[in-house]
Amino acid sequence: MSSKNKADHLNNDSNSFVSSEYIRNRFATIMSDMYKDEVPLYGELLNLVHDINKDVLEQAEDIKQQLANTGEITRLNMERHGAIRLGKPYELFTMRRLFKVMGMFPVGYYDLATAGVPVHSTAFRAIENTALNQAPFRVFTSLLRLDLIDDKHLRENVESILENRQIFTEKALELIDKSENEGGLNETDAETFVQEALETFRWHDTATVDYDMYEALLGQHRLIADVVAFKGPHINHLTPRTLDIDKVQSSMEARNIPPKDNIEGPPPRKCPILLRQTSFKALTEKVSFKNDAGNGKMGEHKARFGEIEQRGVALTQKGQELYNELLGKTRQAIGGSPNAENASEYNQLLLENFKAFPDTYDELHAEELAYFHYFTTDKVKSISKDTTYSHENIQQLLKDGYLTIEPMVYEDFLPVSAAGIFASNLGTDDAKREYEGTSNQSLFEKDLGEPVYDLMKWYSDKQNETIEKCLAEINA
Ligand code: OOG
Ligand code: NI
């Protein structure tokens, strides 16, 4: 890094603390480097995504302009989300504190038990627009629901295995404390912090349990084995953002990257909505297991995979309901999640059903199906200053060309897609299982140590902020 850049991120008015954006970017960078080392196919996928994004930006001036207007263009090639799976409340609680040092906060609650995965989750990410555009790193974080393990004996075993593990290094814990007590970290501490934090996410090819226990855990659910049999919550994928997921999907095979059978989420559209995702299947990795004699027995484990995503406009509650209805209808018609045999029938039907979802930004806006950023245009220079404009005038101002809008990108995740991603990497038998019992957001928040940010409220607040900003400019 040049000394000029170094000086830029030093925040002089707070005792030379570096910004959380700086720490988050550093962490995302070393995490990506580590994952490239651990899973070379991830590096291949990054190259493919970069090539395709470059093509899209060169060929589609409108997309390029839109991303420039919203500030997303600078973050596109840095954009990643990862995922981890935690075993016990202490780990979730401490993970929240760790991510806070990087300016990441829990947004949304996702219950995956209904889809056959015994976890509930949140996503840690930045919550300010500028912060998102500077360092767009997110982590989908799941906590195992021990209450859903029906075998009492196994559940007790799992509890005692997890009780004895510490997934954070001592130094990382010290620096979390220091950051909380002093209000930030200086550059040296920040570097130590990201290196120490990274240890928690590293892959270990030695299990902490013997082979029999591993088999027993696997017998309950592959995911339970993945969480419980290892020293820590290895990052299980790191997802770049593409501007053309259909192109990536069809180019994967040419590069020897085997894709899953179908793309999760909405069908291809002129105006992309929410999130479309695809992945390559989990790798089979050699693992050595403990045994009584102390010398390990070799076996295999599947957990880590690759994923890509294309993001579109965030939907309002009304839009989200229409999305759920059309997706649900499609899934029901083919009898649940699509598989290799009916993938093309599914895609056909999905496309057909989504004709009911307006596909121009004007309609999405007029019908209040999606969220938008509002901007003033040059025309406001000549606006009459006789009135004070307020929220009631916004739609008229837009019509009269004093304002313009751009789609607000969806920053979060989709429970049905997430379950599909879990399932394609866990094996279909597990995915077919159903868990009784209710979703339990309040227990999740108790374990987390604070409430999660409400998804819908976050987008509507953000949209409002842009409206307020326009009004302030117009009334100035
Ligand atoms: C998380 C799966 C969810 C996504 O993109 O929806 C996810 C996991 O497999 O642990 O990352
Ligand atoms: Ni993912």
Side-chain angles (χ1 to χ4, degrees), residues 81-83 140 236-239 277 305 307 309 413 418 421:
H81 86 251
F140 191 91
N236 65 43
H237 64 287
L238 209 50
T239 302
Q277 300 176 309
F305 59 98
E307 185 190 48
E309 64 192 8
F413 297 86
I421 297 282

Side-chain angles (χ1 to χ4, degrees), residues 210-353:
D210 64 28
Y211 194 76
D212 290 344
M213 177 54 78
Y214 177 77
E215 289 270 88
L217 295 167
L218 211 56
Q220 263 295 304
H221 200 296
R222 189 179 288 279
L223 184 115
I224 296 175
D226 185 52
V227 175
V228 180
F230 295 91
K231 186 160 172 254
H234 36 258
I235 184 93
N236 65 43
H237 64 287
L238 209 50
T239 302
R241 173 174 169 191
T242 175
L243 297 174
D244 188 346
I245 198 166
D246 298 290
K247 189 80 167 285
V248 178
Q249 175 89 347
S250 61
S251 314
M252 271 161 80
E253 274 182 279
R255 297 212 189 187
N256 283 326
I257 310 174
K260 81 191 262 301
D261 304 320
N262 79 307
I263 295 175
E264 298 288 341
R269 295 162 49 87
K270 287 203 297 294
C271 304
I273 52 172
L274 298 172
L275 178 64
R276 301 181 70 213
Q277 300 176 309
T278 184
S279 61
F280 66 74
K281 302 208 170 110
L283 313 170
T284 302
E285 300 181 276
K286 291 259 175 291
V287 171
S288 66
F289 293 91
K290 270 190 10 187
N291 73 7
D292 294 342
N295 50 339
K297 167 174 173 167
M298 292 307 285
E300 286 173 345
H301 182 70
K302 277 191 199 168
R304 300 187 309 157
F305 59 98
E307 185 190 48
I308 31 262
E309 64 192 8
Q310 180 172 358
R311 291 185 172 266
V313 66
L315 300 184
T316 60
Q317 188 64 38
K318 184 180 168 199
Q320 190 74 48
E321 277 163 21
L322 181 57
Y323 170 77
N324 291 344
E325 181 197 323
L326 301 176
L327 184 75
K329 192 168 140 188
T330 314
R331 290 169 62 89
Q332 203 173 19
I334 63 138
S337 301
N339 51 40
E341 285 74 52
N342 61 17
S344 82
E345 182 197 342
Y346 173 83
N347 288 329
Q348 216 36 58
L349 199 57
L350 190 67
L351 211 52
E352 191 55 39
N353 286 338

